[in-house]
């Protein structure tokens, strides 16, 4: 329904903003500003994940995991690789969202894949 889709959209965009902000904060060289940024991201995480929990939802992040076709994700660059390539999930552009304590997926994540160096 429309309300659920709105909620999923908000969760996805909050996740994207959090990932961007966390990456940006990690690049700040001024220790005082860096610490403030880290604290703000931590505060966001606390309230965001607590809110998801109250909604009975959770986010799955597969960054760094070996790619498997059974994962609830949609790779945007799978065609860049050959069959038999060992692949890793380099970036989760959008999270996989599921109902807590179940295997029920609400929304598949969107990922970028890369080759595992041999």
């Amino acid at each position: 329904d429309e309300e659920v889709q709105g909620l999923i959209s908000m969760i996805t965009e909050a996740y994207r903003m959090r990932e961007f902000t966390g990456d940006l904060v990690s690049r700040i060289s001024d220790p005082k500003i860096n610490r403030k940024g880290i604290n703000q991201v931590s505060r966001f995480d606390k309230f965001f994940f607590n809110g998801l929990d109250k909604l009975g939802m959770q986010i799955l992040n597969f960054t760094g995991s070996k790619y498997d076709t059974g994962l609830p994700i949609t790779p945007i660059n799978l065609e860049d690789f050959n069959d038999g390539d060992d692949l890793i999930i380099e970036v989760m552009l959008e999270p996989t969202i599921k109902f807590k304590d179940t295997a029920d997926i609400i929304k598949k994540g969107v990922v970028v894949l890369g080759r595992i160096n041999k």
Side-chain angles (χ1 to χ4, degrees):
D1 91 331
E2 207 169 294
E3 288 178 352
V4 172
Q5 289 308 312
L7 183 59
I8 298 305
S9 179
M10 287 174 50
I11 292 168
T12 299
E13 290 309 312
Y15 171 87
R16 291 172 68 114
M17 181 60 80
R18 188 265 177 244
E19 292 300 302
F20 173 79
T21 304
D23 183 53
L24 200 60
V25 165
S26 71
R27 298 168 190 243
I28 297 172
S29 58
D30 181 302
K32 185 177 179 181
I33 296 172
N34 177 271
R35 187 171 45 256
K36 185 176 180 179
I38 289 170
N39 288 341
Q40 191 63 43
V41 169
S42 294
R43 183 178 192 284
F44 174 85
D45 285 350
K46 176 183 172 185
F47 286 96
F48 180 67
F49 290 109
N50 188 307
L52 281 176
D53 189 58
K54 288 179 181 178
L55 291 169
M57 298 177 179
Q58 70 183 107
I59 284 179
L60 302 178
N61 185 339
F62 297 104
T63 302
S65 300
K66 187 172 180 178
Y67 173 67
D68 182 291
T69 57
L71 291 173
I73 56 174
T74 302
I76 63 169
N77 64 334
L78 186 58
E79 67 280 351
D80 295 347
F81 305 100
N82 301 313
D83 286 344
D85 284 348
D86 284 330
L87 303 176
I88 190 167
I89 298 164
E90 288 187 340
V91 179
M92 292 278 307
L93 298 175
E94 295 182 6
T96 297
I97 304 171
K98 69 182 267 317
F99 288 112
K100 192 173 87 169
D101 301 327
T102 74
D104 297 336
I105 301 297
I106 302 168
K107 179 192 170 303
K108 284 185 172 186
V110 177
V111 303
V112 176
L113 300 175
R115 272 188 196 84
I116 297 175
N117 295 331
K118 286 189 172 186

